[in-house]
Amino acid sequence: MAFTLVMRETTLSDFERRSAGESEALVRMDEETFRAFYERTARQVWAYLARITGDRQLADDLLQEAYYRFYRAGAVHESESHRRNSLFRIATNLARDSGRRRRRGHEVPLHDQLEADGDTAGRAERRTDLARALARLKPLQREMLWLAYAQGSSHDEIAAVVGVSIGSVKSLLFRARRRLAELLLGGIRRA
Amino acid sequence: MPNNGCDREQDLLTALSTGQWDGELRAHVAACATCADLFEVASALIEDRAQVIRHSEVRGSGLAWWRIKMRERQEAAIAARRALTGVQAVALTCAVPIAALVFNRSIDLSSLAAVAPWTIPLLVALVVWSTLAPVAVYFAVNEE
């Protein structure tokens, strides 16, 4: 038994050391850096995932997966913005993969799951309308609209995150915005 | 309507984010269908995001870090087991022909032993080691 235990520790450590050696070319965040980055970005990423998937629990799972993949990628980022874009891109791809596996039409009005402290009836209704309207958009449209107007991302950042050309962001965003406005206004447009 | 928006869109977005409006911009939004749509959409999304974030229950960074490191360790163990499986396959591939060689009656083992006495015990030991060593290592690294 002692020999076996010794073997286990030695073998596992050997493999771990070998794995670490193979990944020396990658730059993994240390704990302090990761935790600070997480604290700055986690709620934003979760909100993004929750709204584009329409599922709070799924957003929890995807959030953890997104940070794991981001950490494991070990990429070197030029700036905080670049790092954030990379994370959002990973989150977007995960949401798309999960969407392909889920049944179409699955919708969970997010506001129903949230505490309504300070939420007036009018505001709650407005958010319900938004959740339902977003659910009727294409995934790419939801992603772009949230990034552009909720997150405040630039067109360059949006293009990098959702994987479209910079030149097409403006027109795609315009169409998505018109569609969402139509849904929110119930098809009534101003003259 | 051209699908290239309005020149005042950025002004509108700035006003929404800062809360600072002027009468001229308000009048423009009332008259411009593009900016009216943008106002409807952007204001709804900005408000919604604030509410969603306010009510989010995201786990702390310490727990997130811990889970990442645990998963990293688990995946390293899985990779180690896969490598051992490969080693076992190679070992068996080598052991089978060696065993066939040892027990092949066409080989004059007595002549072989006379030339190199250590050959037969070595071959036998190699076959035994090739068979048992991967099994031992497998149980050693099996965390379950």
Side-chain angles (χ1 to χ4, degrees):
Chain A
M1 180 61 71
F3 173 76
T4 303
L5 288 174
V6 169
M7 282 286 293
R8 176 181 298 132
E9 285 301 320
T10 302
T11 306
L12 214 50
S13 297
D14 285 341
F15 278 110
E16 284 182 322
R17 282 197 292 272
R18 189 175 310 140
S19 297
E22 289 171 349
S23 63
E24 282 174 357
L26 304 177
V27 180
R28 296 273 167 79
M29 282 179 163
D30 60 20
E31 179 178 355
E32 183 180 354
T33 305
F34 173 84
R35 291 184 62 175
F37 179 66
Y38 184 92
E39 293 289 344
R40 290 194 301 273
T41 57
R43 291 184 185 276
Q44 300 171 32
V45 178
W46 186 87
Y48 173 64
L49 287 169
R51 268 297 178 234
I52 65 173
T53 63
D55 188 331
R56 176 179 180 163
Q57 290 180 337
L58 179 60
D60 289 340
D61 295 338
L62 295 181
L63 180 73
Q64 181 66 30
E65 182 68 23
Y67 276 97
Y68 179 75
R69 294 193 183 194
F70 172 81
Y71 170 78
R72 289 288 291 177
V76 177
H77 299 97
E78 303 165 352
S79 63
E80 172 77 0
S81 175
H82 186 208
R83 184 179 298 165
R84 195 181 297 254
N85 288 345
S86 178
L87 177 60
F88 269 85
R89 182 167 60 246
I90 294 172
T92 301
N93 289 336
L94 286 171
R96 289 176 179 176
D97 289 343
S98 74
R100 280 190 278 268
R101 290 191 297 268
R102 290 165 70 207
R103 183 163 47 94
R104 268 179 74 92
H106 176 70
E107 175 190 340
V108 179
L110 188 61
H111 85 287
D112 288 341
Q113 303 175 37
L114 303 177
E115 295 177 11
D117 293 343
D119 239 19
T120 63
R123 182 184 297 174
E125 184 179 348
R126 182 176 160 97
R127 294 184 60 215
T128 299
D129 292 343
L130 176 64
R132 289 176 179 162
L134 285 172
R136 293 177 63 181
L137 297 178
K138 297 175 183 177
L140 179 61
Q141 292 177 320
R142 284 198 293 271
E143 295 160 7
M144 295 184 72
L145 287 169
W146 186 270
L147 290 169
Y149 305 124
Q151 190 68 22
S153 301
S154 68
H155 285 190
D156 290 352
E157 291 170 337
I158 293 170
V161 170
V162 304
V164 300
S165 64
I166 295 175
S168 61
V169 169
K170 191 172 183 180
S171 59
L172 289 171
L173 204 49
F174 182 83
R175 286 199 288 270
R177 191 174 78 205
R178 285 192 64 184
R179 176 63 180 148
L180 182 57
E182 287 173 359
L183 291 169
L184 289 175
L185 296 171
I188 301 173
R189 297 190 57 79
R190 298 185 190 183
Chain B
M1 178 182 300
N3 63 346
N4 56 2
C6 173
D7 293 340
R8 301 299 304 276
E9 286 186 20
Q10 192 54 52
D11 294 337
L12 172 55
L13 291 174
T14 300
L16 281 170
S17 64
T18 62
Q20 297 176 349
W21 291 79
D22 59 42
E24 187 273 332
L25 183 57
R26 288 187 187 278
H28 172 79
V29 172
C32 174
T34 298
C35 288
D37 285 348
L38 176 57
F39 176 82
E40 187 69 30
V41 167
S43 60
L45 287 169
I46 289 170
E47 179 185 349
D48 186 65
R49 177 178 179 270
Q51 290 295 320
V52 171
I53 287 178
R54 185 173 301 128
H55 296 297
S56 64
E57 295 179 0
V58 173
R59 59 174 61 93
S61 60
L63 181 57
W65 174 257
W66 179 81
R67 292 185 66 162
I68 282 174
K69 300 308 286 183
M70 282 296 295
R71 181 172 166 183
E72 196 174 36
R73 186 177 175 85
Q74 288 167 0
E75 292 193 353
I78 291 172
R81 281 196 286 272
R82 284 204 197 101
L84 286 171
T85 302
V87 169
Q88 292 176 38
V90 171
L92 283 174
T93 302
C94 295
V96 168
I98 290 174
L101 183 66
V102 170
F103 295 105
N104 190 334
R105 293 178 183 277
S106 66
I107 294 179
D108 188 351
L109 293 178
S110 59
S111 300
L112 185 62
V115 173
W118 46 265
T119 304
I120 294 180
L122 178 63
L123 288 174
V124 173
L126 186 61
V127 170
V128 171
W129 176 82
S130 299
T131 305
L132 295 182
V135 176
V137 173
Y138 172 80
F139 282 108
V141 299
N142 188 343
E143 293 185 351
E144 296 178 0

